[in-house]
C-alpha cells in the first residue's frame, strides 16, 4: 500500500485541528448548529477525537480532530495519525490549527498510518487520505515514508521468504531503482576474500551467507552504513528457547533499517558518497555450525573466543566494519538488533546509540527531536574494555556476568573501526503494540533522525 498524499478534489473536506484550549474560541465563531453538534457528540479536542460536521443538507462539510494539550502530546507522537484512523472515507485538507513546526511530522505520521503489511493477506486501506499541507516538501516526505515502508516490509517478512538470498534481492532492487552499484560475495568466496567470521556464522544454514556491498554517489562526504542481516537466529548450538526465538525473523532489522535509510538518502538526492554493507546470514544448527570455545580469526586479524554462539551479530558486523574502515570514510554507522540488554535499558521505543563525537551527538539529538524519532545516548565506557578480553584470545564475544551487555557489545564492535569516526545503534526494530502511525510489527528506528542530521553534520 503506497503511503502517499492525494490530490485535492471538489469532495475534499476541510480539516480543523483543535487543541482543547482552542476549541472554545473556534466554536464561538461557528453557527449555533455547529456548536450544538460539537456538544451533542462530546467533542472536547482531546487527542484521538474526530468529528465530521454536516451542512444544512446533511452532506459532510468539514471535519475536526482533537490535538489535546501540550502535556498530553508529550506522552506520544504522530497525534493526527491516531485521529486519521477514526475518520470516514474521503480526502482531507488541514486548513487550521496545526502548529507550523509540527506540520511535517504530523503529515508523515498520517501517511504512515496508511501502512499495512499485505504480502500474505489483503488488508483494509486507510479510509481517510490526506492532501499535502501547503509549503511542505512533498517529495521529501513521501521518500521518507517509502524508506520506512521498505524497512517495515523487510522486517515483517518471515524468514521463509526473507533469507540471505532474499535480502540480497531486496538490496539489488533498491540499487536498480536508484542506479547504485552493487556487489554480493557469496558462500565460500567469503573465505577467499577474507570475511571469515561472516562465513563461520552463516555456514551451517542451507542458504549460503553473503556480504552485500552497495555504493551510490560520486561527490560529497563518504558515509558507510553497516546493517546486521541475521535473517533468522536460532541461537546456533547455544539454542534459544522457543519464546526467545519467536521474533527472530526481525534479527535482520539493522539491515532493513540501513536499506530504508539508504532509500531516503538516494531518493532525496543528498550529496553523499553512500556505501551500504550488509552481512546476510542465518544462524542455524548443523554439523558444521561454529561452536562454543571456538576461536575465530577476524578480517582485521583480531582473534575472538566464542563463549556463546547466540552472540553472533557482533561477529558478522565485525568483519563488515573492518572492511568499511579500510576505505576510511568520513563516518561509519552500524545498526543492529544486537542485545536484549539495550531493551532492558531503554525499552522498545528508544533507539540507544553510541558515539564519542560531540558534534555528531548534537546534530543527531536535535534532528531526533525535530523528526519525532527518539534516540538515547549510551556510553563507550572504556573501563569495561577488560570485560571483553578473555585472555586466551583478543576478544570475547559473550562476556560472563551479564552486566552492561549493550555497552560491551558496542565496545567489541569499536575494536574493528580504527581509521574512521564511528557510531553504533542497538535498535529493537519492532513495535510490540499498535500506536499512532506504527502498527504492531517491524519498524524503523533512528533512520529519520539520521536522514535529517547526516548531511548537515558531514558538511559542517
Amino acid at each position: 500500500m503506497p503511503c502517499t498524499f492525494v490530490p485535492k478534489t471538489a469532495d475534499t473536506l476541510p480539516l480543523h485541528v483543535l487543541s482543547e484550549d482552542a476549541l472554545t474560541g473556534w466554536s464561538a465563531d461557528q453557527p449555533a448548529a455547529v456548536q450544538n453538534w460539537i456538544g451533542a457528540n462530546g467533542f472536547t479536542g482531546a487527542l484521538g477525537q474526530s468529528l465530521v460536521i454536516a451542512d444544512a443538507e446533511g452532506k459532510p462539510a468539514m471535519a475536526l480532530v482533537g490535538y489535546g494539550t501540550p502535556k498530553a502530546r508529550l506522552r506520544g507522537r504522530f497525534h493526527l495519525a491516531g485521529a486519521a484512523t477514526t475518520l470516514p472515507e474521503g480526502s482531507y485538507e488541514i486548513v487550521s490549527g496545526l502548529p507550523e513546526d509540527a506540520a511535517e511530522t504530523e503529515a508523515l505520521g498520517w501517511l504512515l498510518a496508511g501502512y499495512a503489511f499485505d504480502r500474505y493477506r489483503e488488508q483494509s486501506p486507510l479510509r481517510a487520505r490526506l492532501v499535502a499541507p501547503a509549503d511542505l516538501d512533498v517529495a521529501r516526505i513521501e521518500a521518507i515514508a517509502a524508506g520506512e515502508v521498505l524497512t517495515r516490509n523487510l522486517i515483517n517478512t518471515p524468514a521463509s521468504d526473507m533469507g540471505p538470498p532474499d535480502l540480497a534481492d531486496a538490496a539489488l532492487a533498491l540499487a536498480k531503482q536508484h542506479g547504485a552499484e552493487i556487489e554480493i560475495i557469496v558462500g565460500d568466496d567469503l573465505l577467499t576474500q577474507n570475511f571469515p567470521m561472516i562465513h563461520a556464522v552463516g555456514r551451517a544454514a542451507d542458504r549460503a551467507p553473503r556480504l552485500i556491498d552497495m555504493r551510490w554517489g560520486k561527490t560529497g562526504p563518504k558515509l558507510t552504513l553497516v546493517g546486521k542481516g541475521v535473517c533468522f537466529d536460532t541461537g546456533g548450538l547455544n539454542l534459544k528457547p522457543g519464546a526467545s526465538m519467536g521474533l527472530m525473523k526481525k534479527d535482520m532489522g539493522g539491515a532493513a533499517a540501513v536499506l530504508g535509510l539508504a532509500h531516503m538518502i538516494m531518493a532525496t538526492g543528498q550529496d553523499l558518497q553512500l556505501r551500504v554493507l550488509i552481512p546476510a546470514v542465518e544462524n542455524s544448527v548443523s554439523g558444521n555450525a561454529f561452536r562454543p570455545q571456538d576461536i575465530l580469526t577476524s578480517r582485521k586479524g583480531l582473534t575472538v573466543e566464542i563463549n556463546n554462539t547466540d552472540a553472533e551479530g557482533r561477529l558478522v558486523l565485525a568483519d563488515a566494519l573492518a572492511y568499511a574502515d579500510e576505505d576510511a570514510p568520513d563516518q561509519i554507522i552500524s545498526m543492529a538488533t544486537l542485545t536484549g540488554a539495550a531493551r532492558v535499558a531503554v525499552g522498545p521505543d528508544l533507539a540507544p546509540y553510541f558515539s564519542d563525537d560531540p558534534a555528531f551527538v548534537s546534530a543527531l539529538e536535535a534532528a531526533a527531536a525535530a523528526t519525532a524519532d527518539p534516540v538515547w545516548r549510551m556510553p563507550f565506557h572504556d573501563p569495561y574494555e577488560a570485560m571483553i578480553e578473555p585472555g586466551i584470545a583478543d576478544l570475547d564475544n559473550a562476556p560472563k556476568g551479564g552486566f552492561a551487555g549493550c555497552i560491551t557489545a558496542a565496545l567489541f564492535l569499536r575494536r574493528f573501526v580504527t581509521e574512521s569516526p564511528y557510531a553504533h545503534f542497538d535498535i529493537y526494530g519492532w513495535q510490540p503494540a499498535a500506536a499512532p502511525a506504527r502498527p504492531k510489527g517491524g519498524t524503523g528506528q533512528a533512520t529519520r533522525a539520521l536522514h535529517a542530521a547526516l548531511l548537515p553534520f558531514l558538511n559542517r
Side-chain angles (χ1 to χ4, degrees):
M1 296 180 181
C3 293
T4 55
F5 296 107
V6 295
K8 183 177 180 179
T9 68
D11 295 326
T12 294
L13 285 181
L15 182 72
H16 299 275
V17 178
L18 296 170
S19 61
E20 291 184 26
D21 60 1
L23 176 61
T24 300
W26 182 88
S27 178
D29 292 333
Q30 306 304 311
V34 171
Q35 297 179 33
N36 292 337
W37 186 249
I38 291 172
N41 283 276
F43 183 85
T44 64
L47 282 177
Q49 283 190 321
S50 65
L51 180 66
V52 174
I53 297 175
D55 61 17
E57 297 179 356
K59 297 178 180 179
M62 64 175 132
L64 315 179
V65 294
Y67 208 53
T69 65
K71 183 177 180 180
R73 291 194 294 274
L74 286 175
R75 298 186 63 175
R77 48 191 160 129
F78 300 128
H79 306 297
L80 293 194
T85 59
T86 68
L87 287 166
E89 185 171 0
S91 66
Y92 296 83
E93 180 184 27
I94 299 169
V95 295
S96 73
L98 182 62
E100 185 177 346
D101 60 357
E104 181 172 317
T105 296
E106 296 292 7
L108 174 65
W110 192 307
L111 295 189
L112 293 177
Y115 172 82
F117 184 59
D118 58 1
R119 177 165 178 169
Y120 302 99
R121 178 182 178 183
E122 186 176 345
Q123 304 289 342
S124 299
L126 183 68
R127 298 180 303 166
R129 306 297 302 278
L130 184 65
V131 174
D135 302 323
L136 292 186
D137 187 339
V138 171
R140 179 178 178 275
I141 296 172
E142 290 184 338
I144 292 170
E148 173 66 18
V149 167
L150 173 61
T151 296
R152 292 181 183 184
N153 283 340
L154 291 173
I155 296 173
N156 285 330
T157 303
S160 54
D161 291 320
M162 191 49 65
D166 307 290
L167 187 54
D169 286 344
L172 283 164
L174 186 64
K176 182 178 180 180
Q177 179 183 353
H178 294 290
E181 300 172 358
I182 190 166
E183 178 187 8
I184 301 173
I185 305 168
V186 182
D188 289 344
D189 287 347
L190 291 165
L191 290 177
T192 61
Q193 298 191 44
N194 193 22
F195 299 99
M197 294 208 296
I198 298 174
H199 184 273
V201 171
R203 71 192 182 203
D206 60 358
R207 294 182 286 187
R210 58 207 68 206
L211 178 67
I212 301 161
D213 186 356
M214 182 172 70
R215 294 176 183 264
W216 174 88
K218 303 298 183 183
T219 62
K222 288 184 175 182
L223 168 68
T224 299
L225 306 175
V226 181
K228 174 186 169 185
V230 178
C231 295
F232 195 83
D233 181 16
T234 66
L237 292 175
N238 292 115
L239 193 69
K240 291 179 183 287
S244 299
M245 212 183 298
L247 274 182
M248 284 301 100
K249 72 173 185 178
K250 79 169 185 67
D251 211 23
M252 39 64 71
V258 299
L259 288 174
L261 175 55
H263 173 80
M264 297 177 195
I265 289 170
M266 294 186 289
T268 56
Q270 291 193 341
D271 187 18
L272 292 171
Q273 296 180 67
L274 174 67
R275 188 182 191 189
V276 177
L277 289 169
I278 295 172
V281 303
E282 289 180 80
N283 188 21
S284 297
V285 178
S286 185
N288 66 340
F290 74 120
R291 298 163 290 261
Q293 302 303 304
D294 281 356
I295 293 180
L296 306 180
T297 301
S298 68
R299 178 182 182 86
K300 198 172 186 68
L302 295 171
T303 55
V304 181
E305 182 181 12
I306 305 303
N307 281 307
N308 193 319
T309 63
D310 196 19
E312 84 298 330
R314 67 200 68 184
L315 303 176
V316 299
L317 286 171
D319 273 356
L321 286 169
Y323 190 39
D325 196 42
E326 292 164 17
D327 195 38
D330 296 292
Q331 182 71 48
I332 296 174
I333 295 172
S334 60
M335 305 192 80
T337 53
L338 201 62
T339 69
R343 309 288 72 75
V344 173
V346 300
D349 201 39
L350 289 165
Y353 74 98
F354 298 78
S355 173
D356 281 337
D357 184 344
F360 178 88
V361 170
S362 178
L364 176 69
E365 298 208 350
T371 59
D373 194 9
V375 299
W376 195 264
R377 187 184 183 190
M378 302 289 281
F380 278 129
H381 189 54
D382 291 329
Y384 290 165
E385 288 279 3
M387 295 169 65
I388 60 172
E389 296 169 345
I392 193 174
D394 294 317
L395 294 169
D396 183 340
N397 85 316
K400 294 178 175 61
F403 288 128
C406 62
I407 298 174
T408 55
L411 291 172
F412 181 99
L413 296 178
R414 191 177 66 168
R415 291 287 188 97
F416 296 86
V417 181
T418 56
E419 306 302 322
S420 314
Y422 176 53
H424 166 61
F425 289 75
D426 191 342
I427 63 173
Y428 189 48
W430 190 261
Q431 181 69 27
R438 292 162 291 153
K440 181 179 179 179
T443 192
Q445 289 185 288
T447 51
R448 292 181 292 104
L450 284 166
H451 178 257
L454 280 170
L455 190 60
F457 163 72
L458 291 170
N459 281 321
R460 69 193 187 283

